[in-house]
Amino acid sequence: MESSSAASGGSTRREATRQKLYEAAVTLIAEQGFSATTVDEIAERAGVAKGTVYYNFASKSVLFEELLRHGVGLLTASLREAADRTAREGGSKVDALDAMIRAGLVFIDRYPAFTQLYVAELWRTNRTWQSTLMVVRQQAVAVVEEVLRDGVAGGEFSEEIDIPLTASALVGMVLVAALDWKSFQAERSLDDVHAALSRLLQGRVSGCP
């Protein structure tokens, strides 16, 4: 039986390998599409043997499904940490939403190819991983819903706010604005984009009676 340190080292190595495969897959699929991307190409881009791909993932589809889980999981964790940090610092719920907008932009700035894929897949309904995509999407949106719900309960936001729709709109605003930034206004800084979205937030959410 392996010692705990040996087991931990093996787990760390496997996670590092999976991370390489995620990065290779997301880059290739963003460049040429899911159907055109082969397991051989993913393995080559990741610098591993083809068998390593199948050791970690049963198929290309499973790899992509896990990639979606992994990426949206990172985004969700970033949003939650932004909200929690604001709460620890005594900020308002509007401050928390603003911090989450910035966290979302930082994530997209770091992982633009993943974000492009994620948004594209949201519009497709014929994929085997569609149900998984809906689940992980809701996990991210639920973090925003929680802040809105607490804001309504605390009297900071109007009770007339449609919480699920508003949360989806805020997440969607960040995704679409960031993709437009990356594609057509790359000369703008992250601070510029955040400031613009922050003004929208202040006017639309905090302006509620």
Side-chain angles (χ1 to χ4, degrees):
M1 182 177 293
E2 294 180 324
S3 68
S4 60
S5 60
S8 175
S11 175
T12 300
R13 284 193 298 273
R14 187 175 187 192
E15 284 306 310
T17 298
R18 289 168 74 93
Q19 185 64 41
K20 283 191 209 176
L21 292 170
Y22 288 143
E23 291 173 359
V26 74
T27 302
L28 286 166
I29 295 170
E31 289 173 355
Q32 57 196 32
F34 177 81
S35 298
T37 300
T38 67
V39 172
D40 285 334
E41 289 173 320
I42 293 172
E44 182 179 358
R45 180 69 65 93
V48 301
K50 181 177 180 179
T52 301
V53 180
Y54 289 115
Y55 175 76
N56 286 274
F57 305 100
S59 67
K60 185 176 70 170
S61 292
V62 171
L63 167 57
F64 190 65
E65 185 172 346
E66 289 302 312
L67 169 63
L68 292 173
R69 287 184 186 274
H70 176 72
V72 179
L74 290 176
L75 173 59
T76 301
S78 295
L79 298 178
R80 188 174 297 282
E81 169 54 27
D84 290 347
R85 183 174 63 253
T86 304
R88 290 194 301 270
E89 294 172 353
S92 68
K93 297 306 176 185
V94 173
D95 292 334
L97 292 174
D98 189 55
M100 293 165 86
I101 286 174
R102 186 172 186 87
L105 291 173
V106 169
F107 175 88
I108 294 164
D109 188 40
R110 184 175 181 183
Y111 304 109
F114 172 80
T115 307
Q116 180 183 357
L117 281 179
Y118 171 67
V119 172
E121 290 301 317
L122 285 174
W123 289 98
R124 297 189 173 104
T125 58
N126 61 341
R127 302 294 207 189
T128 58
W129 51 76
Q130 187 66 24
S131 60
T132 296
L133 186 60
M134 292 301 99
V135 169
V136 296
R137 170 203 167 275
Q138 184 53 39
Q139 289 171 353
V141 173
V143 180
V144 184
E145 288 181 356
E146 183 179 341
V147 172
L148 289 170
R149 195 171 291 111
D150 289 346
V152 170
E156 192 172 341
F157 303 145
S158 169
E159 293 183 357
E160 297 180 359
I161 285 181
D162 184 321
I163 290 174
L165 188 58
T166 301
S168 296
L170 287 171
V171 173
M173 175 183 74
V174 173
L175 289 172
V176 173
L179 286 176
D180 185 86
W181 163 39
K182 288 296 183 182
S183 299
F184 305 112
Q185 303 184 60
E187 73 281 0
R188 292 183 179 274
S189 69
L190 190 150
D191 288 340
D192 287 341
V193 180
H194 176 221
L197 297 187
S198 183
R199 283 191 288 272
L200 285 175
L201 171 70
Q202 298 289 336
R204 297 299 183 185
V205 178
S206 64
C208 293

